[in-house]
Amino acid sequence: MISKDLEKALNGQIAAELFSANLYLSMSFYLEKEGFNGFSSWMKKQSSEEMNHAYLMAGYIIKRGGNATVNKVEAVKQTWKTPLEVFEDAYKHECQISKLIDKLLDQAIQEGDKATQDFLWQFVREQVEEEATASGIVDRIKRMGDKAIFNLDEQYGKRV
């Protein structure tokens, strides 16, 4: 059985994951409008991953005897100036999500809930990859500059 406090915190994380999904979807719309179909496709896949995280968390709460809820999800940013700004925002966002996951894990540790600790470690590990990926794309765009941006767009459009 999951505690009411952890249930509430995980439901809060579900809302954060839904916000992430919406943010990446918004980014994909902007990128597609600007002619960056590869980056747009990459962001759509990122949005889908975030939705999957929400589903995983809801399923976990239910398995532990709790109630999964969909709380209010705030509106997301709609416009950016450049693809670089999009990916800089994505990197910052992933850093914020990492902090939220760390806080959840700390709470599970404090409560001595080993099952939730185990469940959350998958997200801790994934956040390391998410931050590195977003940071790497920012670095590549900065290093390669505007002239190579369409090559990068094509490359990232091949994400499986």
Side-chain angles (χ1 to χ4, degrees):
M1 192 75 156
I2 194 163
S3 75
K4 288 295 178 190
D5 287 341
L6 264 176
E7 177 186 312
K8 181 179 178 182
L10 283 167
N11 277 316
Q13 189 61 38
I14 288 171
E17 298 295 335
L18 295 173
F19 178 89
S20 297
N22 288 347
L23 178 63
Y24 289 129
L25 190 59
S26 180
M27 289 174 168
S28 79
F29 294 163
Y30 162 79
L31 290 162
E32 185 174 346
K33 178 181 173 286
E34 295 299 313
F36 295 99
N37 294 328
F39 286 145
S40 174
S41 175
W42 191 93
M43 285 295 182
K44 285 176 187 166
K45 288 183 174 94
Q46 195 69 15
S47 175
S48 179
E49 273 188 20
E50 303 302 339
M51 286 296 295
N52 190 51
H53 294 165
Y55 299 147
L56 288 171
M57 289 181 184
Y60 178 78
I61 292 168
I62 293 165
K63 285 178 191 172
R64 295 288 310 280
N67 294 311
T69 60
V70 178
N71 296 316
K72 182 178 178 179
V73 179
E74 298 296 324
V76 297
K77 186 174 178 178
Q78 302 294 317
T79 61
W80 292 264
K81 293 179 182 163
T82 65
L84 175 60
E85 184 181 353
V86 170
F87 283 99
E88 286 173 334
D89 280 0
Y91 172 67
K92 289 176 197 168
H93 181 71
E94 288 300 339
C95 291
Q96 291 172 335
I97 294 297
S98 293
K99 289 177 185 173
L100 293 175
I101 296 293
D102 288 348
K103 187 176 175 184
L104 275 173
L105 181 58
D106 290 343
Q107 184 175 348
I109 290 168
Q110 182 180 359
E111 290 190 22
D113 185 332
K114 290 179 179 42
T116 301
Q117 291 172 46
D118 181 63
F119 173 74
L120 290 171
W121 274 110
Q122 68 184 307
F123 296 102
V124 171
R125 287 187 294 276
E126 183 167 340
Q127 282 309 118
V128 171
E129 294 302 317
E130 295 294 348
E131 286 184 32
T133 299
S135 175
I137 294 171
V138 167
D139 290 345
R140 289 188 83 190
I141 292 172
K142 285 180 177 178
R143 279 197 313 267
M144 296 177 81
D146 290 339
K147 294 186 186 208
I149 193 93
F150 290 102
N151 290 336
L152 288 173
D153 176 60
E154 183 179 340
Q155 179 185 350
Y156 284 101
K158 295 176 183 174
R159 177 181 181 187
V160 179

